[in-house]
Amino acid sequence: MHLQPDELIDLAEGTRAESSATHLAECAVCRLQLEELKATMSAAADVDVPEPSPLFWDHFSARVRQAVDAEGAPRRSFWTWPRVAIPAVSVATAVLAVAVTLNRGGSGNTPLPTVVPAPVALPVASVDLLADPQSAGDTALTLVAELSSDMDFETARDAGLAARGSAEHAVTHLTGSELRELQRLLQEELARSGA
Amino acid sequence: MASSLTWTLPGTWPPRTVTQPMRPAEPGLVDLDERALVEACLSGQSAAFDVIVERHRRSVYLLCYRFVSNHEDASDLSQDVFLRAYRGLRSFRGQSSLATWLYRIGVNVCLNRVSAKKPLSESIEDRQFVDEKAESAPDRLMKDERGARVRAAIAQLPRKQRATLVLRMYHEMSHQEIADVLGSSVGAVKANFFHALSNLKKMLGGEVL
């Protein structure tokens, strides 16, 4: 049984003494292979890399600096996103769960007195997205904002923007007491997540 | 005549890539260890990255040169290595040394490059940076020719064999470190090293051995 590649490498590198490999003394093939490995290592080791001029290094560092400056701050790692995303997802899930539960409660066996909420004409674009610097210059957003600036929730619903069964639909169809309960739960959740 | 004149137009110098002088590293940063430098970078002190570049630029350049065998490509690849390192700095966990992490990036960058482009060997005349004082001209010439043949043979090795040989022979990395860089086992690294040397021997024959 001849010596294995890893054994020959250990012997060629001197991390294992040749005297410990008893097979070597009686096998000319392995001895020759070991000698060839050593000779090849020696030939490869003798190949040097031309050292660049000392001036090159400053030039190189300046190039890297320029590229790094153009890059901006190091990007947030994929693994750090959960720190931001988990509380946000928790809040969204809580809102959805509360909305669905309360909506179902309203259609249960014991009918609750129906409180028809007064129509609230809230503009859909109550947050001025166009004032957001990240959105500035977005022509598509500008068009949508202009078209929807006079639109209230009823119109938005009729336009199919809040489909029946969606969270938006559920939230816009809550009774006064349900809305108060939702508000309380949201505040509780936000306080817990530290948002 | 006109074309030769354009070479001397002052507008072509200095090269466009040099746009700003290196700023001196802040004294406090120079003494920081690797982990602290990375933290400083992540907290917005970009000067800390200058220190990282200064500490590792030579070894990264030499690694790249071993793969591509010419100064221009080695320089470009080294820059790419540091840029990728900067982009991925948040993923550096400190489980390996910064040097090992940079080597890992370097090997990937180089292997992608050499598989996309056949490496160009620098001609002996182009090698203007070597200190030639120590050897006589004929000796230097012979050594250069021998070196060029060995480098050309290394360039023909399969990717993992080449990476293993370069990291082991020229960067004195342990088998375990190479395994970490290449994402393999110590046994696989030794086997790759063995096959790399055997193939090198076949390619070179008796000419340089």
Side-chain angles (χ1 to χ4, degrees):
Chain A
M1 184 73 176
H2 291 301
L3 291 171
Q4 294 300 301
D6 59 326
E7 294 174 301
L8 284 164
I9 287 295
D10 286 342
L11 290 166
E13 291 184 333
T15 53
R16 180 182 170 191
E18 289 184 24
S19 56
S20 69
T22 50
H23 172 77
L24 207 55
E26 58 206 35
C27 180
V29 174
C30 285
R31 273 202 307 276
L32 178 65
Q33 205 166 18
L34 181 59
E35 287 314 308
E36 286 178 348
L37 278 180
K38 286 180 181 175
T40 311
M41 283 170 73
S42 174
D46 203 30
V47 178
D48 55 11
V49 169
E51 196 69 39
S53 148
L55 294 173
F56 165 74
W57 296 120
D58 282 347
H59 174 75
F60 175 80
S61 292
R63 279 173 57 192
V64 173
R65 151 153 289 286
Q66 191 179 20
V68 161
D69 284 348
E71 192 73 15
R75 289 174 192 167
R76 187 182 288 277
S77 158
F78 173 79
W79 296 106
T80 61
W81 277 109
R83 277 189 277 174
V84 176
I86 286 173
V89 170
S90 307
V91 170
T93 308
V95 169
L96 189 63
V98 167
V100 169
T101 306
L102 292 177
N103 218 27
R104 277 186 187 162
S107 59
N109 290 335
T110 41
L112 292 171
T114 306
V115 179
V116 179
V120 183
L122 290 174
V124 171
S126 56
V127 178
D128 190 0
L129 287 173
L130 295 176
D132 182 354
Q134 287 188 325
S135 310
D138 188 333
T139 51
L141 183 62
T142 306
L143 179 65
V144 170
E146 280 173 7
L147 289 174
S148 62
S149 58
D150 297 321
M151 194 182 283
D152 58 26
F153 269 119
E154 293 299 316
T155 318
R157 186 196 61 193
D158 293 339
L161 295 178
R164 187 169 290 280
S166 70
E168 292 88 344
H169 181 272
V171 171
T172 54
H173 285 71
L174 294 180
T175 64
S177 59
E178 288 169 344
L179 278 170
R180 278 193 296 279
E181 178 64 9
L182 174 61
Q183 186 184 16
R184 187 188 66 75
L185 286 166
L186 273 174
Q187 282 172 344
E188 204 176 281
E189 188 63 34
L190 286 169
R192 197 176 348 163
S193 65
Chain B
M1 187 61 182
S3 62
S4 65
L5 281 175
T6 58
W7 288 100
T8 60
L9 287 174
T12 60
W13 187 261
R16 252 182 245 167
T17 48
V18 183
T19 57
Q20 53 188 315
M22 272 304 291
R23 70 177 168 213
E26 292 171 28
L29 292 173
V30 177
D31 302 326
L32 293 180
D33 64 15
E34 291 180 342
R35 188 71 224 178
L37 278 173
V38 170
E39 289 298 330
C41 282
L42 294 177
S43 66
Q45 293 187 67
S46 59
F49 196 71
D50 292 345
V51 179
I52 291 175
V53 172
E54 197 170 335
R55 281 187 193 171
H56 297 281
R57 62 192 179 187
R58 185 174 177 276
S59 56
V60 168
Y61 169 85
L62 293 180
L63 173 75
C64 295
Y65 192 97
R66 292 288 182 190
F67 277 90
V68 293
S69 295
N70 76 83
H71 172 71
E72 287 305 319
D73 284 348
S75 174
D76 288 348
L77 287 171
S78 307
Q79 183 182 335
D80 196 18
V81 170
F82 282 111
L83 191 57
R84 283 166 191 249
Y86 183 75
R87 285 176 188 156
L89 211 53
R90 284 188 187 274
S91 66
F92 175 68
R93 305 288 175 85
Q95 288 164 342
S96 61
S97 71
L98 197 56
T100 302
W101 186 67
L102 287 170
Y103 278 151
R104 188 179 302 143
I105 297 170
V107 167
N108 285 328
V109 166
C110 291
L111 288 179
N112 287 338
R113 170 61 173 263
V114 295
S115 61
K117 180 182 175 183
K118 194 174 166 61
L120 298 168
S121 288
E122 197 157 332
S123 70
I124 293 166
E125 291 75 19
D126 289 342
R127 299 182 59 196
Q128 51 189 317
F129 303 127
V130 179
D131 177 13
E132 297 184 5
K133 284 178 283 188
E135 292 169 275
S136 67
D139 286 349
R140 183 74 238 171
L141 193 62
M142 277 186 64
K143 192 174 179 184
D144 282 349
E145 286 175 355
R146 198 166 54 234
R149 279 200 294 272
V150 173
R151 275 199 297 273
I154 291 173
Q156 290 176 51
L157 290 172
R159 289 153 52 103
K160 281 216 167 176
Q161 288 182 23
R162 186 183 339 173
T164 305
L165 186 134
V166 166
L167 294 173
R168 184 66 183 146
M169 293 293 306
Y170 306 118
H171 294 271
E172 295 170 355
M173 292 179 76
S174 70
H175 297 297
Q176 182 61 61
E177 287 171 324
I178 297 169
D180 291 342
V181 166
L182 298 179
S184 56
S185 65
V186 168
V189 167
K190 287 184 181 178
N192 270 324
F193 190 35
F194 173 83
H195 292 301
L197 291 169
S198 300
N199 285 332
L200 204 57
K201 160 79 177 61
K202 281 180 205 158
M203 284 188 266
L204 294 172
E207 56 183 330
V208 295
L209 302 179

